[in-house]
Structures are given as structure tokens and as C-alpha cells.
Amino acid sequence: MNKKKILLVDDELVLRDSICEILSYENYEVKTTCNGLEALKLLENWTPDLIISDIMMPIMDGNLFHEKVLANRFLRTIPFVFLTAKKGEHILRDSMLEGADDFLFKPFKAEELLRVIETRINRFLEIKSTAYSFDLSKNNYLLHELNTSLNGILGSIELLIDNGESLKKDEVAIFYDAIKVSGERLNRIIKNLALFQNLKNNLIQFTNSESTEISKIFSKTSTKLSSNWFDSRFEINAEIAQETLKINPDFMSFVLFELIDNAIKFSNTPAKVFISGKRIEEALYEIEIQDYGIGLSSEEIEKIDEMSQFNREEIEQEGIGLGLFLSKTIIAKSNGTFDIVSKKGEGTSIKIKIPILISSN
């Protein structure tokens, strides 16, 4: 059974350690930070079932941290409990008006802490599945992509049934290719949706024990891309230095495919994509993917989330906009960094940095 996860944010080391000890004894998984800024960084890669935060803290206090959490669509439903040493009706009123779920006045008893946690987590678990699910009725892009893929399959099959006897062999092959392309497109959508749900619910474990030989993964990805874009003109210029990286090979393949696929998709015709991979530090490897397509604005980059599609009125996109968001999430959970530099009309450069597996020999 998975442990319920709690994030504790408090700058008082003794109190933080005491609460952590109590919660760990009660079989909760607890992670701690000493201010709101550190907590936000942690929340980029880890989703708790409840947040407990002090109000008075340096760098970023509890009130500002709470505002940041509420502004994030993935975090806003997580129960938020304030800790405060100040007593007064205005503290309670202000906290509740700002969206806090509960509060605890210091000092408090262990029984009181556990009762508040259990009540709030149980409520959160009731709504968690719907909070992290896609509402098909409100997502036209997703409905469009599902319908397009299904129509491509069913339409081709119907034409084969109705006209199969009169079609030539090469004409039949065209319909088979169309069915295959639509099927792969649908499969990609379903896999990305499943990956999203699993990532947001912490159901996928990321460990430092997995490794990837980057040149082999890149070679396989290039072959897959060539098949995916068999009817389009594109050119990939790549220089990939061999290293063994500390990342799951399936995840590395996914990230490369999604990012290069996007680079081709948003490039001018014929598409030209430049890719480099090299060691930049003793234990760090950098991959840069550069295109010279339509580019993104700074506002669009800031809005990258699970269903963002950009410039759809300028370019007919396939997919549902999950690839960029999932790639960014995977790299972050693999202890890497993900940076985008883009300019409208000039193109986009994506740099990802991943730890290198250092041999013990």
C-alpha cells in the first residue's frame, strides 16, 4: 500500500524534526523544506496529499507560498494547513478566506495534528481522481484528435469493405498505411494520457540506478521519426557524443522523440533541425535541439502545461499538446534541467541537462 504523502514547510528545525518523527511513525511519507521557495521547487517533481506550512518564514513566507500553490492548477486542490504561533480571530478568518483548509496554533498536541491530517487527506483522496482527470466535454483539442484518429481507421476500413474487390494492390496498400498511421496516432494519445495520470499521482518511480547510452537511444529515435514523417521533407543534423546518462532509456527515448517531433512540426518546409549532445561538466550532459520555425513567445512558454497547443491557427497540429509538458516533467524527475529559449518567427532552442553515470572503476 502506498504511503500518504505530506509536505512540511517550517523554518524551525526542532519543530520540523519533531513533526516529521511523529508522522513517519504513523507511516506517512514526509518531505520537509524550510521556506516556501524551496517547497515550490520540490513540488515541481513531487505531489503530496497534504501541505503543512508555517506562516512566518524567511525568503518566502507561508502566505505567499499559499498564493503560489493556489495559482497552480495541479496543486490548488491539495489540502493546505497553516501553522501559526499567533492567536486571534482575524488569523482564522483571513486564512479561510484565502482558501486554507485548516490551521493549527502552536503549540499543539500530536493527537490534534494527526486528526487534522487524517480528516483533510481523506477528503482530498475523494476528489483526487477527478481533479487529475481530463474533462472531454471541455477539451475540444482532445476530442478532435480522438475523432480524427478513429475516423482515419474506421473510414479506411469502410472503404476497403465497400470497394475492396475493385481496388488495385497498390491502392489497398495506401489504405493499410492510412489505418496504421491513424492507429499509431491514437495509440500515442492514449499512452501520453496514461503517462500524465501516472506522473501526477506519483505512480512512477524514478531511481538513480537506471542508465541510458545516449547515442543508441538517439539512433533508434531517429529511425522512428523517419517512419513517422515518411511523407514529409525534413533534415536532422546531429552530433551526439557517447555518454551513459542516469535516466531510464524509455523515458529518454520518449523525450527525444517528442522534442524532435515538435521541432519538425513547427519548422518551415523543408524542416531543418540541429541537435547536439555533449558533456559540459564532469557529471553533466547537455542536449540541445534547435529549430528555425515559427517560435514561441515568452507568454506561451510560461503557459506550458498538460494540454497547451500553440499557434494552432497558423499550423495544423497533431496530438494534444502533452509531449512538451511530459518531457519537462520527466527531465525534472530525473534530476535534470529543462530550458527553452524561443522567439517568434525565428525558432526555438531547447536545452536539457542530465546527470552522467560515473563509473566506479
Side-chain angles (χ1 to χ4, degrees), residues 128-187:
K128 188 173 182 180
S129 59
T130 56
Y132 289 159
S133 297
F134 294 114
D135 186 346
L136 293 180
S137 65
K138 296 180 180 180
N139 197 298
N140 292 329
Y141 292 156
L142 178 54
L143 284 173
H144 170 76
E145 291 302 321
L146 291 172
N147 285 330
T148 298
S149 300
L150 286 172
N151 289 336
I153 296 171
L154 297 176
S156 296
I157 292 175
E158 184 176 350
L159 287 170
L160 283 172
I161 293 174
D162 293 340
N163 305 286
E165 294 181 359
S166 61
L167 293 174
K168 297 179 181 179
K169 186 175 181 180
D170 57 342
E171 292 175 327
V172 172
I174 292 175
F175 285 112
Y176 285 160
D177 286 338
I179 293 171
K180 184 174 184 295
V181 169
S182 294
E184 289 177 346
R185 183 175 177 178
L186 181 60
N187 185 51

Side-chain angles (χ1 to χ4, degrees), residues 139-149 184-190 192-193 228-229 257-258 261-262 265-266 306-310 312 315-324:
N139 197 298
N140 292 329
Y141 292 156
L142 178 54
L143 284 173
H144 170 76
E145 291 302 321
L146 291 172
N147 285 330
T148 298
S149 300
E184 289 177 346
R185 183 175 177 178
L186 181 60
N187 185 51
R188 183 178 176 186
I189 292 171
I190 294 172
N192 283 5
L193 288 172
N228 193 62
W229 289 90
F257 182 88
E258 292 293 335
D261 186 65
N262 272 343
K265 185 186 303 178
F266 289 101
E306 89 287 5
M307 294 293 278
S308 292
Q309 286 196 329
F310 305 113
R312 193 172 180 102
I315 179 172
E316 179 59 26
Q317 299 179 37
E318 293 184 3
I320 54 175
L322 269 176
L324 193 58

Side-chain angles (χ1 to χ4, degrees), residues 77-334:
T77 58
I78 299 174
F80 197 105
V81 177
F82 270 126
L83 299 179
T84 178
K86 296 182 179 180
K87 293 188 177 181
E89 289 186 4
H90 71 284
I91 295 289
L92 170 60
R93 182 181 65 252
D94 292 345
S95 296
M96 293 304 182
L97 287 176
E98 291 172 4
D101 294 277
D102 217 325
F103 69 98
L104 287 167
F105 288 122
K106 302 176 184 178
F108 48 81
K109 295 181 180 180
E111 294 81 3
E112 183 182 4
L113 171 68
L114 294 173
R115 184 173 64 253
V116 168
I117 289 174
E118 183 177 359
T119 299
R120 295 305 172 184
I121 285 184
N122 287 340
R123 174 58 182 156
F124 177 54
L125 292 178
E126 291 178 3
I127 64 173
K128 188 173 182 180
S129 59
T130 56
Y132 289 159
S133 297
F134 294 114
D135 186 346
L136 293 180
S137 65
K138 296 180 180 180
N139 197 298
N140 292 329
Y141 292 156
L142 178 54
L143 284 173
H144 170 76
E145 291 302 321
L146 291 172
N147 285 330
T148 298
S149 300
L150 286 172
N151 289 336
I153 296 171
L154 297 176
S156 296
I157 292 175
E158 184 176 350
L159 287 170
L160 283 172
I161 293 174
D162 293 340
N163 305 286
E165 294 181 359
S166 61
L167 293 174
K168 297 179 181 179
K169 186 175 181 180
D170 57 342
E171 292 175 327
V172 172
I174 292 175
F175 285 112
Y176 285 160
D177 286 338
I179 293 171
K180 184 174 184 295
V181 169
S182 294
E184 289 177 346
R185 183 175 177 178
L186 181 60
N187 185 51
R188 183 178 176 186
I189 292 171
I190 294 172
K191 284 186 174 180
N192 283 5
L193 288 172
L195 178 58
F196 169 79
Q197 296 285 45
N198 288 334
L199 284 172
K200 295 311 297 181
N201 288 291
N202 294 315
L203 298 179
I204 298 177
Q205 298 298 319
F206 288 78
T207 68
N208 291 325
S209 60
E210 296 179 295
S211 62
T212 295
E213 293 185 27
I214 185 59
S215 60
K216 290 183 178 180
I217 289 296
F218 177 77
S219 178
K220 292 180 180 178
T221 304
S222 297
T223 300
K224 184 179 178 181
L225 282 162
S226 296
S227 174
N228 193 62
W229 289 90
F230 70 93
D231 58 348
S232 302
R233 295 170 60 196
F234 71 94
E235 177 184 344
I236 294 179
N237 296 302
E239 293 183 6
I240 304 294
Q242 172 54 24
E243 291 287 356
T244 302
L245 310 183
K246 295 171 69 175
I247 185 172
N248 178 286
D250 292 333
F251 285 151
M252 188 73 257
S253 177
F254 174 89
V255 170
L256 284 175
F257 182 88
E258 292 293 335
L259 297 185
I260 299 173
D261 186 65
N262 272 343
I264 297 171
K265 185 186 303 178
F266 289 101
S267 291
N268 299 317
T269 303
K272 290 187 178 181
V273 180
F274 296 86
I275 305 168
S276 65
K278 60 185 178 181
R279 180 192 289 252
I280 58 171
E281 296 178 14
E282 179 62 27
L284 202 61
Y285 190 89
E286 179 185 82
I287 299 172
E288 180 177 9
I289 300 171
Q290 172 75 58
D291 69 66
Y292 297 94
I294 60 178
L296 298 173
S297 67
S298 57
E299 291 79 11
E300 288 171 334
I301 293 174
E302 290 178 359
K303 292 179 180 178
I304 293 173
D305 63 21
E306 89 287 5
M307 294 293 278
S308 292
Q309 286 196 329
F310 305 113
N311 303 296
R312 193 172 180 102
E313 62 281 356
E314 299 177 33
I315 179 172
E316 179 59 26
Q317 299 179 37
E318 293 184 3
I320 54 175
L322 269 176
L324 193 58
F325 172 80
L326 290 174
S327 297
K328 183 178 179 181
T329 303
I330 287 170
I331 294 300
K333 287 181 175 288
S334 300

